[in-house]
Amino acid sequence: MSADLRLDLSSPVPPFEQIRAGIAGLVRSGVLLPGARLPTVRSLAADLGVAAGTVARAYRELEAAGVVEGHGRRGTTVRPAPPRGPAPPDLTAAVALAAARARADGVPVDELVTLVRRAYLDDVQVSGPASPAPPPTPTPAPTPSRTAAN
C-alpha cells in the first residue's frame, strides 16, 4: 500500500493530511477493501520517511471519520461499509435522466457506465446544472400599458 501513497514534502498540505487523504482515496476507489490491514504506523512512517506520530495522527483521523478501525496491537483495518437501504429517489431520478440523455445523444451504455464510474471514483465536481436545462417557455407578447390621461 505504501507504494500507492506519495508525499510532497514541499506542499503546504501537512504530511499527516496527505496520508489521510491518500488512504481515504484508496478506500473510496476500492484499492483497499473492507477488512484490509493497513501497515503498522512504524512501517508506513519508515516507508514514507516521516515521523511515526505523523502516521499515527493520520490513522486517528481516519478512525474518527469511520474509514478505518484500530485494534490495538492487532493493527488497523479498513472498516466494513455500513449496510444501506435503496438509493434515494432523487438519485434514482438523476440517473434515469442521465440515461435518457445518453440514449438521446447516442452514447453507448458501456460508455455511460464508464462515465458514471469515473465520476464516482474520481470525486468529480459538478460544474454545471445537475440536469439539462428545461425547454424554454414561450414568452407572451407584451401588453400595451395604459396610463391615466390627465
Side-chain angles (χ1 to χ4, degrees), residues 67-111:
V67 176
V68 301
E69 50 192 12
H71 305 285
R73 294 177 91 39
R74 292 180 297 140
T76 303
T77 57
V78 174
R79 191 169 194 179
R84 56 174 302 296
D90 59 330
L91 176 59
T92 303
V95 170
L97 188 61
R101 170 80 186 270
R103 198 172 23 259
D105 290 348
V107 176
V109 69
D110 56 329
E111 187 176 339

Side-chain angles (χ1 to χ4, degrees), residues 1 3 16 28 32 36 38 41 46-47 59 62 65 68 75 78 81 105 110-112 114 116 121 123 127 130 132 139:
M1 182 201 74
F16 81 88
R28 220 179 13 258
L32 288 175
L38 299 184
V41 167
D47 288 350
Y59 279 18
L62 286 164
V68 301
V78 174
D105 290 348
D110 56 329
E111 187 176 339
L112 175 62
T114 299
V116 170
L121 295 177
D123 197 22
S127 59
T139 309

Side-chain angles (χ1 to χ4, degrees), residues 7-8 23-25 37 46 50 82 106 113 128:
L7 293 184
D8 179 2
I23 292 173
R37 175 173 250 121
V50 296
V113 169

Side-chain angles (χ1 to χ4, degrees), residues 53-66:
T54 301
V55 175
R57 180 170 177 187
Y59 279 18
R60 279 193 309 272
E61 295 208 3
L62 286 164
E63 188 168 11

